[in-house]
Amino acid sequence: MTFFLSILSVIWPWFILIAAQVMALAGRAAIALSLLALFVSIASTTDLMSPLVIAAVVLGLAGAAFLPHLKGRIAVAGHALLILWCLAMGAHLLPGFQNLKVLDQVQAGAGSASFTMYLNLDKPMVFFAVLLAWPAILHNAIPTKTGALMAGLLLLPGLFVLGLALDAIQPEFSIPPWWLIFALTNLFLTCLTEEAFFRGYLQSAITSRLGATGGMLAASVLFGVAHFGGGPALVIFASILGLACGLGYYATQRLWVPVAMHFGFNLLHLIMFTYPGPA
């Protein structure tokens, strides 16, 4: 908590962004967009976002909002452009976002590798774009398919077992002093955004054409490929995690389910094992 309070004076704008995400999840679109506009205004006046990337954000969100009204090949082309925009945001390819470094070469425990963490400005924009482009993400809940949900939940401890067997992780209990900022960042800026994009949007869109199994598998593989920067092993681990979360979404059609599964897995990884891997 001491560490969290020490950085509060510089991270406070992100609480407006998180509030916008929460309002969007609650279906309060007008409030969510108002808070997002406030956040972007603050980011502009504090030089966190350049005018060029603000224009890119506005154009991307406006285009996403228009997509549900398109049909046929024009709609397919529009969704392809949106996916490229989301990938550019998620991969931090647009210069002009001053993502804030809050952890610099820290270790979760003595046996853990060091890592660096940023409070992103660009990646969370993907969350708002896909909600605008695919509104059914928030309105498609179904009676729970218990078997599929249990299968997804069982994959999570299985993934830890696989990681231990391959020496990708080692047991290490630790609660680092920066756990709270990690949890907030991981939950809202990472898990919520990634699950909205890969499960709520991509899995749903692919399922509409290839069926439920094709949608889950394709979205899971794409989720793994998105982690290629961490090497082939991480691609495999991420694909399995994606499949687990995909089963959770397929079983409920509730976005918070894969978000909770993804976040719970990451938090247990931090507390119970070497994070992100052994030193």
PDB file of all heavy atoms in Angstrom, residues 17-26 32 36 61 85-86 89 122-133 137-138 188-197 255 259:
ATOM      1  N   LEU A  17      -9.941   6.600 -16.439  1.00  0.00           N
ATOM      2  CA  LEU A  17     -10.051   5.609 -17.509  1.00  0.00           C
ATOM      3  C   LEU A  17     -10.714   4.328 -17.000  1.00  0.00           C
ATOM      4  O   LEU A  17     -11.606   3.765 -17.660  1.00  0.00           O
ATOM      5  CB  LEU A  17      -8.660   5.297 -18.063  1.00  0.00           C
ATOM      6  CG  LEU A  17      -8.575   4.217 -19.152  1.00  0.00           C
ATOM      7  CD1 LEU A  17      -9.393   4.615 -20.368  1.00  0.00           C
ATOM      8  CD2 LEU A  17      -7.120   3.980 -19.534  1.00  0.00           C
ATOM      9  N   ILE A  18     -10.304   3.871 -15.821  1.00  0.00           N
ATOM     10  CA  ILE A  18     -10.902   2.663 -15.236  1.00  0.00           C
ATOM     11  C   ILE A  18     -12.388   2.889 -14.945  1.00  0.00           C
ATOM     12  O   ILE A  18     -13.221   1.999 -15.177  1.00  0.00           O
ATOM     13  CB  ILE A  18     -10.134   2.258 -13.962  1.00  0.00           C
ATOM     14  CG1 ILE A  18      -8.747   1.735 -14.345  1.00  0.00           C
ATOM     15  CG2 ILE A  18     -10.908   1.210 -13.167  1.00  0.00           C
ATOM     16  CD1 ILE A  18      -7.836   1.481 -13.157  1.00  0.00           C
ATOM     17  N   ALA A  19     -12.720   4.081 -14.449  1.00  0.00           N
ATOM     18  CA  ALA A  19     -14.133   4.391 -14.197  1.00  0.00           C
ATOM     19  C   ALA A  19     -14.930   4.345 -15.493  1.00  0.00           C
ATOM     20  O   ALA A  19     -16.084   3.879 -15.514  1.00  0.00           O
ATOM     21  CB  ALA A  19     -14.255   5.764 -13.545  1.00  0.00           C
ATOM     22  N   ALA A  20     -14.333   4.821 -16.596  1.00  0.00           N
ATOM     23  CA  ALA A  20     -15.003   4.750 -17.893  1.00  0.00           C
ATOM     24  C   ALA A  20     -15.235   3.300 -18.302  1.00  0.00           C
ATOM     25  O   ALA A  20     -16.298   2.949 -18.836  1.00  0.00           O
ATOM     26  CB  ALA A  20     -14.171   5.470 -18.948  1.00  0.00           C
ATOM     27  N   GLN A  21     -14.263   2.428 -18.049  1.00  0.00           N
ATOM     28  CA  GLN A  21     -14.424   1.008 -18.365  1.00  0.00           C
ATOM     29  C   GLN A  21     -15.560   0.387 -17.550  1.00  0.00           C
ATOM     30  O   GLN A  21     -16.371  -0.373 -18.073  1.00  0.00           O
ATOM     31  CB  GLN A  21     -13.117   0.263 -18.098  1.00  0.00           C
ATOM     32  CG  GLN A  21     -11.995   0.606 -19.071  1.00  0.00           C
ATOM     33  CD  GLN A  21     -10.716  -0.138 -18.729  1.00  0.00           C
ATOM     34  OE1 GLN A  21     -10.250  -0.120 -17.594  1.00  0.00           O
ATOM     35  NE2 GLN A  21     -10.137  -0.798 -19.713  1.00  0.00           N
ATOM     36  N   VAL A  22     -15.598   0.714 -16.271  1.00  0.00           N
ATOM     37  CA  VAL A  22     -16.632   0.162 -15.392  1.00  0.00           C
ATOM     38  C   VAL A  22     -18.013   0.619 -15.859  1.00  0.00           C
ATOM     39  O   VAL A  22     -18.966  -0.176 -15.909  1.00  0.00           O
ATOM     40  CB  VAL A  22     -16.382   0.574 -13.934  1.00  0.00           C
ATOM     41  CG1 VAL A  22     -17.556   0.177 -13.045  1.00  0.00           C
ATOM     42  CG2 VAL A  22     -15.096  -0.064 -13.410  1.00  0.00           C
ATOM     43  N   MET A  23     -18.143   1.884 -16.211  1.00  0.00           N
ATOM     44  CA  MET A  23     -19.430   2.392 -16.693  1.00  0.00           C
ATOM     45  C   MET A  23     -19.832   1.725 -18.008  1.00  0.00           C
ATOM     46  O   MET A  23     -21.010   1.430 -18.237  1.00  0.00           O
ATOM     47  CB  MET A  23     -19.359   3.912 -16.873  1.00  0.00           C
ATOM     48  CG  MET A  23     -19.333   4.703 -15.578  1.00  0.00           C
ATOM     49  SD  MET A  23     -20.880   4.528 -14.611  1.00  0.00           S
ATOM     50  CE  MET A  23     -20.345   3.356 -13.354  1.00  0.00           C
ATOM     51  N   ALA A  24     -18.853   1.472 -18.876  1.00  0.00           N
ATOM     52  CA  ALA A  24     -19.150   0.790 -20.132  1.00  0.00           C
ATOM     53  C   ALA A  24     -19.653  -0.619 -19.875  1.00  0.00           C
ATOM     54  O   ALA A  24     -20.619  -1.078 -20.490  1.00  0.00           O
ATOM     55  CB  ALA A  24     -17.906   0.758 -21.020  1.00  0.00           C
ATOM     56  N   LEU A  25     -19.017  -1.315 -18.939  1.00  0.00           N
ATOM     57  CA  LEU A  25     -19.455  -2.666 -18.587  1.00  0.00           C
ATOM     58  C   LEU A  25     -20.861  -2.665 -17.996  1.00  0.00           C
ATOM     59  O   LEU A  25     -21.623  -3.613 -18.174  1.00  0.00           O
ATOM     60  CB  LEU A  25     -18.480  -3.295 -17.590  1.00  0.00           C
ATOM     61  CG  LEU A  25     -17.145  -3.782 -18.145  1.00  0.00           C
ATOM     62  CD1 LEU A  25     -16.239  -4.227 -17.013  1.00  0.00           C
ATOM     63  CD2 LEU A  25     -17.360  -4.929 -19.130  1.00  0.00           C
ATOM     64  N   ALA A  26     -21.193  -1.587 -17.289  1.00  0.00           N
ATOM     65  CA  ALA A  26     -22.516  -1.471 -16.673  1.00  0.00           C
ATOM     66  C   ALA A  26     -23.580  -1.030 -17.667  1.00  0.00           C
ATOM     67  O   ALA A  26     -24.752  -0.885 -17.299  1.00  0.00           O
ATOM     68  CB  ALA A  26     -22.455  -0.486 -15.507  1.00  0.00           C
ATOM     69  N   ALA A  32     -19.768   6.509 -19.781  1.00  0.00           N
ATOM     70  CA  ALA A  32     -18.473   5.932 -20.124  1.00  0.00           C
ATOM     71  C   ALA A  32     -17.741   6.799 -21.147  1.00  0.00           C
ATOM     72  O   ALA A  32     -16.550   7.093 -20.982  1.00  0.00           O
ATOM     73  CB  ALA A  32     -18.651   4.517 -20.662  1.00  0.00           C
ATOM     74  N   LEU A  36     -14.323   8.899 -20.729  1.00  0.00           N
ATOM     75  CA  LEU A  36     -13.223   8.661 -21.656  1.00  0.00           C
ATOM     76  C   LEU A  36     -12.760   9.968 -22.293  1.00  0.00           C
ATOM     77  O   LEU A  36     -11.553  10.216 -22.429  1.00  0.00           O
ATOM     78  CB  LEU A  36     -13.655   7.678 -22.741  1.00  0.00           C
ATOM     79  CG  LEU A  36     -12.588   7.314 -23.784  1.00  0.00           C
ATOM     80  CD1 LEU A  36     -11.373   6.683 -23.119  1.00  0.00           C
ATOM     81  CD2 LEU A  36     -13.182   6.378 -24.840  1.00  0.00           C
ATOM     82  N   LEU A  61     -12.568   5.035 -32.822  1.00  0.00           N
ATOM     83  CA  LEU A  61     -13.805   4.838 -32.063  1.00  0.00           C
ATOM     84  C   LEU A  61     -15.027   5.211 -32.890  1.00  0.00           C
ATOM     85  O   LEU A  61     -16.063   4.531 -32.824  1.00  0.00           O
ATOM     86  CB  LEU A  61     -13.760   5.662 -30.777  1.00  0.00           C
ATOM     87  CG  LEU A  61     -12.700   5.246 -29.738  1.00  0.00           C
ATOM     88  CD1 LEU A  61     -12.769   6.157 -28.526  1.00  0.00           C
ATOM     89  CD2 LEU A  61     -12.878   3.795 -29.326  1.00  0.00           C
ATOM     90  N   TRP A  85      -6.422  -1.695 -36.534  1.00  0.00           N
ATOM     91  CA  TRP A  85      -6.328  -0.564 -35.596  1.00  0.00           C
ATOM     92  C   TRP A  85      -6.114  -1.084 -34.183  1.00  0.00           C
ATOM     93  O   TRP A  85      -5.268  -0.559 -33.442  1.00  0.00           O
ATOM     94  CB  TRP A  85      -7.617   0.255 -35.690  1.00  0.00           C
ATOM     95  CG  TRP A  85      -7.686   1.465 -34.824  1.00  0.00           C
ATOM     96  CD1 TRP A  85      -7.295   2.737 -35.153  1.00  0.00           C
ATOM     97  CD2 TRP A  85      -8.212   1.546 -33.483  1.00  0.00           C
ATOM     98  NE1 TRP A  85      -7.535   3.596 -34.111  1.00  0.00           N
ATOM     99  CE2 TRP A  85      -8.097   2.898 -33.063  1.00  0.00           C
ATOM    100  CE3 TRP A  85      -8.768   0.621 -32.611  1.00  0.00           C
ATOM    101  CZ2 TRP A  85      -8.512   3.332 -31.811  1.00  0.00           C
ATOM    102  CZ3 TRP A  85      -9.178   1.037 -31.354  1.00  0.00           C
ATOM    103  CH2 TRP A  85      -9.050   2.385 -30.964  1.00  0.00           C
ATOM    104  N   CYS A  86      -6.859  -2.117 -33.796  1.00  0.00           N
ATOM    105  CA  CYS A  86      -6.719  -2.688 -32.453  1.00  0.00           C
ATOM    106  C   CYS A  86      -5.332  -3.284 -32.246  1.00  0.00           C
ATOM    107  O   CYS A  86      -4.725  -3.128 -31.174  1.00  0.00           O
ATOM    108  CB  CYS A  86      -7.780  -3.761 -32.224  1.00  0.00           C
ATOM    109  SG  CYS A  86      -9.472  -3.140 -32.069  1.00  0.00           S
ATOM    110  N   MET A  89      -2.846  -0.542 -31.687  1.00  0.00           N
ATOM    111  CA  MET A  89      -2.966  -0.009 -30.332  1.00  0.00           C
ATOM    112  C   MET A  89      -2.396  -0.990 -29.305  1.00  0.00           C
ATOM    113  O   MET A  89      -1.640  -0.611 -28.408  1.00  0.00           O
ATOM    114  CB  MET A  89      -4.436   0.282 -30.006  1.00  0.00           C
ATOM    115  CG  MET A  89      -5.037   1.433 -30.767  1.00  0.00           C
ATOM    116  SD  MET A  89      -4.361   3.024 -30.248  1.00  0.00           S
ATOM    117  CE  MET A  89      -5.123   4.117 -31.451  1.00  0.00           C
ATOM    118  N   ASP A 122      -2.707   3.380 -24.817  1.00  0.00           N
ATOM    119  CA  ASP A 122      -3.185   2.956 -26.133  1.00  0.00           C
ATOM    120  C   ASP A 122      -4.000   1.669 -26.075  1.00  0.00           C
ATOM    121  O   ASP A 122      -5.114   1.601 -26.613  1.00  0.00           O
ATOM    122  CB  ASP A 122      -2.023   2.799 -27.114  1.00  0.00           C
ATOM    123  CG  ASP A 122      -0.776   2.161 -26.485  1.00  0.00           C
ATOM    124  OD1 ASP A 122      -0.868   1.654 -25.343  1.00  0.00           O
ATOM    125  OD2 ASP A 122       0.277   2.166 -27.128  1.00  0.00           O
ATOM    126  N   LYS A 123      -3.488   0.653 -25.403  1.00  0.00           N
ATOM    127  CA  LYS A 123      -4.159  -0.646 -25.375  1.00  0.00           C
ATOM    128  C   LYS A 123      -5.590  -0.597 -24.840  1.00  0.00           C
ATOM    129  O   LYS A 123      -6.495  -1.224 -25.413  1.00  0.00           O
ATOM    130  CB  LYS A 123      -3.323  -1.637 -24.560  1.00  0.00           C
ATOM    131  CG  LYS A 123      -3.794  -3.079 -24.635  1.00  0.00           C
ATOM    132  CD  LYS A 123      -2.798  -3.986 -23.920  1.00  0.00           C
ATOM    133  CE  LYS A 123      -3.213  -5.439 -24.003  1.00  0.00           C
ATOM    134  NZ  LYS A 123      -2.217  -6.321 -23.368  1.00  0.00           N
ATOM    135  N   PRO A 124      -5.886   0.163 -23.763  1.00  0.00           N
ATOM    136  CA  PRO A 124      -7.275   0.191 -23.262  1.00  0.00           C
ATOM    137  C   PRO A 124      -8.278   0.767 -24.256  1.00  0.00           C
ATOM    138  O   PRO A 124      -9.482   0.509 -24.122  1.00  0.00           O
ATOM    139  CB  PRO A 124      -7.181   1.074 -22.008  1.00  0.00           C
ATOM    140  CG  PRO A 124      -5.753   0.997 -21.592  1.00  0.00           C
ATOM    141  CD  PRO A 124      -4.971   0.880 -22.866  1.00  0.00           C
ATOM    142  N   MET A 125      -7.803   1.538 -25.235  1.00  0.00           N
ATOM    143  CA  MET A 125      -8.737   2.074 -26.225  1.00  0.00           C
ATOM    144  C   MET A 125      -9.400   0.968 -27.037  1.00  0.00           C
ATOM    145  O   MET A 125     -10.514   1.127 -27.555  1.00  0.00           O
ATOM    146  CB  MET A 125      -8.012   3.049 -27.163  1.00  0.00           C
ATOM    147  CG  MET A 125      -7.391   4.237 -26.450  1.00  0.00           C
ATOM    148  SD  MET A 125      -8.611   5.194 -25.509  1.00  0.00           S
ATOM    149  CE  MET A 125      -7.577   5.946 -24.246  1.00  0.00           C
ATOM    150  N   VAL A 126      -8.706  -0.174 -27.123  1.00  0.00           N
ATOM    151  CA  VAL A 126      -9.260  -1.323 -27.836  1.00  0.00           C
ATOM    152  C   VAL A 126     -10.560  -1.779 -27.176  1.00  0.00           C
ATOM    153  O   VAL A 126     -11.516  -2.166 -27.861  1.00  0.00           O
ATOM    154  CB  VAL A 126      -8.224  -2.469 -27.860  1.00  0.00           C
ATOM    155  CG1 VAL A 126      -8.835  -3.746 -28.431  1.00  0.00           C
ATOM    156  CG2 VAL A 126      -6.998  -2.055 -28.663  1.00  0.00           C
ATOM    157  N   PHE A 127     -10.593  -1.739 -25.856  1.00  0.00           N
ATOM    158  CA  PHE A 127     -11.786  -2.162 -25.116  1.00  0.00           C
ATOM    159  C   PHE A 127     -13.015  -1.380 -25.561  1.00  0.00           C
ATOM    160  O   PHE A 127     -14.070  -1.949 -25.860  1.00  0.00           O
ATOM    161  CB  PHE A 127     -11.542  -1.976 -23.613  1.00  0.00           C
ATOM    162  CG  PHE A 127     -12.771  -2.089 -22.766  1.00  0.00           C
ATOM    163  CD1 PHE A 127     -13.318  -3.327 -22.471  1.00  0.00           C
ATOM    164  CD2 PHE A 127     -13.388  -0.955 -22.258  1.00  0.00           C
ATOM    165  CE1 PHE A 127     -14.465  -3.428 -21.685  1.00  0.00           C
ATOM    166  CE2 PHE A 127     -14.526  -1.048 -21.474  1.00  0.00           C
ATOM    167  CZ  PHE A 127     -15.066  -2.291 -21.185  1.00  0.00           C
ATOM    168  N   PHE A 128     -12.886  -0.064 -25.626  1.00  0.00           N
ATOM    169  CA  PHE A 128     -14.030   0.769 -25.995  1.00  0.00           C
ATOM    170  C   PHE A 128     -14.413   0.562 -27.463  1.00  0.00           C
ATOM    171  O   PHE A 128     -15.599   0.555 -27.809  1.00  0.00           O
ATOM    172  CB  PHE A 128     -13.707   2.240 -25.730  1.00  0.00           C
ATOM    173  CG  PHE A 128     -13.454   2.547 -24.288  1.00  0.00           C
ATOM    174  CD1 PHE A 128     -12.156   2.678 -23.808  1.00  0.00           C
ATOM    175  CD2 PHE A 128     -14.499   2.678 -23.387  1.00  0.00           C
ATOM    176  CE1 PHE A 128     -11.921   2.948 -22.465  1.00  0.00           C
ATOM    177  CE2 PHE A 128     -14.267   2.939 -22.048  1.00  0.00           C
ATOM    178  CZ  PHE A 128     -12.973   3.076 -21.584  1.00  0.00           C
ATOM    179  N   ALA A 129     -13.412   0.367 -28.316  1.00  0.00           N
ATOM    180  CA  ALA A 129     -13.695   0.184 -29.738  1.00  0.00           C
ATOM    181  C   ALA A 129     -14.502  -1.081 -29.990  1.00  0.00           C
ATOM    182  O   ALA A 129     -15.475  -1.064 -30.754  1.00  0.00           O
ATOM    183  CB  ALA A 129     -12.376   0.147 -30.523  1.00  0.00           C
ATOM    184  N   VAL A 130     -14.104  -2.192 -29.357  1.00  0.00           N
ATOM    185  CA  VAL A 130     -14.825  -3.446 -29.645  1.00  0.00           C
ATOM    186  C   VAL A 130     -16.219  -3.442 -29.043  1.00  0.00           C
ATOM    187  O   VAL A 130     -17.141  -4.059 -29.603  1.00  0.00           O
ATOM    188  CB  VAL A 130     -14.020  -4.680 -29.179  1.00  0.00           C
ATOM    189  CG1 VAL A 130     -12.698  -4.771 -29.942  1.00  0.00           C
ATOM    190  CG2 VAL A 130     -13.780  -4.683 -27.695  1.00  0.00           C
ATOM    191  N   LEU A 131     -16.413  -2.744 -27.933  1.00  0.00           N
ATOM    192  CA  LEU A 131     -17.781  -2.636 -27.400  1.00  0.00           C
ATOM    193  C   LEU A 131     -18.677  -1.857 -28.352  1.00  0.00           C
ATOM    194  O   LEU A 131     -19.857  -2.171 -28.499  1.00  0.00           O
ATOM    195  CB  LEU A 131     -17.767  -1.956 -26.036  1.00  0.00           C
ATOM    196  CG  LEU A 131     -17.224  -2.747 -24.846  1.00  0.00           C
ATOM    197  CD1 LEU A 131     -17.507  -1.999 -23.546  1.00  0.00           C
ATOM    198  CD2 LEU A 131     -17.815  -4.137 -24.767  1.00  0.00           C
ATOM    199  N   LEU A 132     -18.117  -0.839 -28.990  1.00  0.00           N
ATOM    200  CA  LEU A 132     -18.892  -0.067 -29.957  1.00  0.00           C
ATOM    201  C   LEU A 132     -19.156  -0.875 -31.226  1.00  0.00           C
ATOM    202  O   LEU A 132     -20.244  -0.797 -31.806  1.00  0.00           O
ATOM    203  CB  LEU A 132     -18.141   1.222 -30.312  1.00  0.00           C
ATOM    204  CG  LEU A 132     -18.055   2.285 -29.212  1.00  0.00           C
ATOM    205  CD1 LEU A 132     -17.055   3.370 -29.607  1.00  0.00           C
ATOM    206  CD2 LEU A 132     -19.419   2.905 -28.944  1.00  0.00           C
ATOM    207  N   ALA A 133     -18.179  -1.660 -31.645  1.00  0.00           N
ATOM    208  CA  ALA A 133     -18.300  -2.402 -32.900  1.00  0.00           C
ATOM    209  C   ALA A 133     -19.156  -3.647 -32.757  1.00  0.00           C
ATOM    210  O   ALA A 133     -19.783  -4.088 -33.728  1.00  0.00           O
ATOM    211  CB  ALA A 133     -16.916  -2.785 -33.415  1.00  0.00           C
ATOM    212  N   ILE A 137     -21.542  -8.044 -27.066  1.00  0.00           N
ATOM    213  CA  ILE A 137     -20.629  -8.465 -26.003  1.00  0.00           C
ATOM    214  C   ILE A 137     -21.289  -8.310 -24.637  1.00  0.00           C
ATOM    215  O   ILE A 137     -21.098  -9.139 -23.746  1.00  0.00           O
ATOM    216  CB  ILE A 137     -19.318  -7.649 -26.056  1.00  0.00           C
ATOM    217  CG1 ILE A 137     -18.524  -8.003 -27.312  1.00  0.00           C
ATOM    218  CG2 ILE A 137     -18.455  -7.902 -24.812  1.00  0.00           C
ATOM    219  CD1 ILE A 137     -17.286  -7.135 -27.516  1.00  0.00           C
ATOM    220  N   LEU A 138     -22.066  -7.256 -24.478  1.00  0.00           N
ATOM    221  CA  LEU A 138     -22.678  -6.976 -23.180  1.00  0.00           C
ATOM    222  C   LEU A 138     -24.125  -7.448 -23.073  1.00  0.00           C
ATOM    223  O   LEU A 138     -24.725  -7.315 -22.011  1.00  0.00           O
ATOM    224  CB  LEU A 138     -22.631  -5.467 -22.899  1.00  0.00           C
ATOM    225  CG  LEU A 138     -21.249  -4.829 -22.806  1.00  0.00           C
ATOM    226  CD1 LEU A 138     -21.381  -3.339 -22.513  1.00  0.00           C
ATOM    227  CD2 LEU A 138     -20.405  -5.510 -21.737  1.00  0.00           C
ATOM    228  N   PHE A 188      -7.699  -4.301 -15.314  1.00  0.00           N
ATOM    229  CA  PHE A 188      -8.426  -3.384 -16.186  1.00  0.00           C
ATOM    230  C   PHE A 188      -7.713  -3.103 -17.512  1.00  0.00           C
ATOM    231  O   PHE A 188      -8.351  -3.102 -18.571  1.00  0.00           O
ATOM    232  CB  PHE A 188      -8.691  -2.062 -15.458  1.00  0.00           C
ATOM    233  CG  PHE A 188      -9.715  -2.184 -14.378  1.00  0.00           C
ATOM    234  CD1 PHE A 188      -9.337  -2.263 -13.049  1.00  0.00           C
ATOM    235  CD2 PHE A 188     -11.064  -2.246 -14.674  1.00  0.00           C
ATOM    236  CE1 PHE A 188     -10.278  -2.385 -12.029  1.00  0.00           C
ATOM    237  CE2 PHE A 188     -12.019  -2.382 -13.677  1.00  0.00           C
ATOM    238  CZ  PHE A 188     -11.621  -2.446 -12.352  1.00  0.00           C
ATOM    239  N   LEU A 189      -6.423  -2.848 -17.465  1.00  0.00           N
ATOM    240  CA  LEU A 189      -5.719  -2.446 -18.680  1.00  0.00           C
ATOM    241  C   LEU A 189      -5.280  -3.633 -19.514  1.00  0.00           C
ATOM    242  O   LEU A 189      -5.065  -3.493 -20.720  1.00  0.00           O
ATOM    243  CB  LEU A 189      -4.504  -1.572 -18.333  1.00  0.00           C
ATOM    244  CG  LEU A 189      -4.782  -0.350 -17.452  1.00  0.00           C
ATOM    245  CD1 LEU A 189      -3.529   0.511 -17.324  1.00  0.00           C
ATOM    246  CD2 LEU A 189      -5.953   0.471 -17.978  1.00  0.00           C
ATOM    247  N   THR A 190      -5.133  -4.811 -18.887  1.00  0.00           N
ATOM    248  CA  THR A 190      -4.687  -5.994 -19.620  1.00  0.00           C
ATOM    249  C   THR A 190      -5.818  -6.999 -19.812  1.00  0.00           C
ATOM    250  O   THR A 190      -6.284  -7.221 -20.932  1.00  0.00           O
ATOM    251  CB  THR A 190      -3.498  -6.661 -18.903  1.00  0.00           C
ATOM    252  OG1 THR A 190      -2.403  -5.741 -18.826  1.00  0.00           O
ATOM    253  CG2 THR A 190      -3.053  -7.907 -19.664  1.00  0.00           C
ATOM    254  N   CYS A 191      -6.271  -7.618 -18.727  1.00  0.00           N
ATOM    255  CA  CYS A 191      -7.246  -8.720 -18.849  1.00  0.00           C
ATOM    256  C   CYS A 191      -8.560  -8.266 -19.471  1.00  0.00           C
ATOM    257  O   CYS A 191      -9.088  -8.921 -20.384  1.00  0.00           O
ATOM    258  CB  CYS A 191      -7.495  -9.351 -17.484  1.00  0.00           C
ATOM    259  SG  CYS A 191      -6.035 -10.147 -16.773  1.00  0.00           S
ATOM    260  N   LEU A 192      -9.113  -7.175 -18.996  1.00  0.00           N
ATOM    261  CA  LEU A 192     -10.398  -6.707 -19.517  1.00  0.00           C
ATOM    262  C   LEU A 192     -10.291  -6.370 -20.998  1.00  0.00           C
ATOM    263  O   LEU A 192     -11.150  -6.755 -21.803  1.00  0.00           O
ATOM    264  CB  LEU A 192     -10.872  -5.492 -18.725  1.00  0.00           C
ATOM    265  CG  LEU A 192     -12.207  -4.874 -19.148  1.00  0.00           C
ATOM    266  CD1 LEU A 192     -13.326  -5.901 -19.116  1.00  0.00           C
ATOM    267  CD2 LEU A 192     -12.554  -3.677 -18.267  1.00  0.00           C
ATOM    268  N   THR A 193      -9.227  -5.673 -21.374  1.00  0.00           N
ATOM    269  CA  THR A 193      -9.041  -5.301 -22.777  1.00  0.00           C
ATOM    270  C   THR A 193      -8.826  -6.523 -23.650  1.00  0.00           C
ATOM    271  O   THR A 193      -9.460  -6.670 -24.709  1.00  0.00           O
ATOM    272  CB  THR A 193      -7.842  -4.348 -22.912  1.00  0.00           C
ATOM    273  OG1 THR A 193      -8.128  -3.131 -22.230  1.00  0.00           O
ATOM    274  CG2 THR A 193      -7.552  -4.044 -24.378  1.00  0.00           C
ATOM    275  N   GLU A 194      -7.940  -7.434 -23.222  1.00  0.00           N
ATOM    276  CA  GLU A 194      -7.641  -8.607 -24.038  1.00  0.00           C
ATOM    277  C   GLU A 194      -8.845  -9.530 -24.170  1.00  0.00           C
ATOM    278  O   GLU A 194      -9.106 -10.067 -25.255  1.00  0.00           O
ATOM    279  CB  GLU A 194      -6.451  -9.359 -23.437  1.00  0.00           C
ATOM    280  CG  GLU A 194      -5.140  -8.601 -23.579  1.00  0.00           C
ATOM    281  CD  GLU A 194      -3.946  -9.342 -23.017  1.00  0.00           C
ATOM    282  OE1 GLU A 194      -4.129 -10.424 -22.422  1.00  0.00           O
ATOM    283  OE2 GLU A 194      -2.812  -8.835 -23.170  1.00  0.00           O
ATOM    284  N   GLU A 195      -9.594  -9.717 -23.094  1.00  0.00           N
ATOM    285  CA  GLU A 195     -10.753 -10.599 -23.176  1.00  0.00           C
ATOM    286  C   GLU A 195     -11.876  -9.980 -24.005  1.00  0.00           C
ATOM    287  O   GLU A 195     -12.589 -10.693 -24.721  1.00  0.00           O
ATOM    288  CB  GLU A 195     -11.239 -10.967 -21.772  1.00  0.00           C
ATOM    289  CG  GLU A 195     -10.258 -11.828 -20.989  1.00  0.00           C
ATOM    290  CD  GLU A 195      -9.805 -13.050 -21.753  1.00  0.00           C
ATOM    291  OE1 GLU A 195     -10.665 -13.749 -22.336  1.00  0.00           O
ATOM    292  OE2 GLU A 195      -8.592 -13.308 -21.789  1.00  0.00           O
ATOM    293  N   ALA A 196     -12.047  -8.684 -23.919  1.00  0.00           N
ATOM    294  CA  ALA A 196     -13.051  -8.030 -24.759  1.00  0.00           C
ATOM    295  C   ALA A 196     -12.706  -8.204 -26.233  1.00  0.00           C
ATOM    296  O   ALA A 196     -13.584  -8.477 -27.066  1.00  0.00           O
ATOM    297  CB  ALA A 196     -13.150  -6.550 -24.409  1.00  0.00           C
ATOM    298  N   PHE A 197     -11.412  -8.081 -26.554  1.00  0.00           N
ATOM    299  CA  PHE A 197     -10.992  -8.200 -27.960  1.00  0.00           C
ATOM    300  C   PHE A 197     -11.001  -9.647 -28.447  1.00  0.00           C
ATOM    301  O   PHE A 197     -11.627  -9.973 -29.461  1.00  0.00           O
ATOM    302  CB  PHE A 197      -9.599  -7.592 -28.140  1.00  0.00           C
ATOM    303  CG  PHE A 197      -9.079  -7.682 -29.550  1.00  0.00           C
ATOM    304  CD1 PHE A 197      -9.657  -6.934 -30.564  1.00  0.00           C
ATOM    305  CD2 PHE A 197      -8.025  -8.528 -29.870  1.00  0.00           C
ATOM    306  CE1 PHE A 197      -9.194  -7.024 -31.877  1.00  0.00           C
ATOM    307  CE2 PHE A 197      -7.552  -8.624 -31.172  1.00  0.00           C
ATOM    308  CZ  PHE A 197      -8.141  -7.869 -32.182  1.00  0.00           C
ATOM    309  N   LEU A 255     -18.873 -11.487 -20.353  1.00  0.00           N
ATOM    310  CA  LEU A 255     -17.482 -11.074 -20.491  1.00  0.00           C
ATOM    311  C   LEU A 255     -16.716 -11.178 -19.185  1.00  0.00           C
ATOM    312  O   LEU A 255     -15.523 -11.502 -19.176  1.00  0.00           O
ATOM    313  CB  LEU A 255     -17.432  -9.632 -21.018  1.00  0.00           C
ATOM    314  CG  LEU A 255     -16.026  -9.074 -21.289  1.00  0.00           C
ATOM    315  CD1 LEU A 255     -15.291  -9.909 -22.332  1.00  0.00           C
ATOM    316  CD2 LEU A 255     -16.116  -7.612 -21.729  1.00  0.00           C
ATOM    317  N   VAL A 259     -12.675 -12.698 -18.070  1.00  0.00           N
ATOM    318  CA  VAL A 259     -11.840 -11.691 -17.418  1.00  0.00           C
ATOM    319  C   VAL A 259     -11.401 -12.185 -16.039  1.00  0.00           C
ATOM    320  O   VAL A 259     -10.220 -12.099 -15.666  1.00  0.00           O
ATOM    321  CB  VAL A 259     -12.577 -10.335 -17.293  1.00  0.00           C
ATOM    322  CG1 VAL A 259     -11.779  -9.364 -16.414  1.00  0.00           C
ATOM    323  CG2 VAL A 259     -12.809  -9.733 -18.672  1.00  0.00           C
TER     324      VAL A 259
END
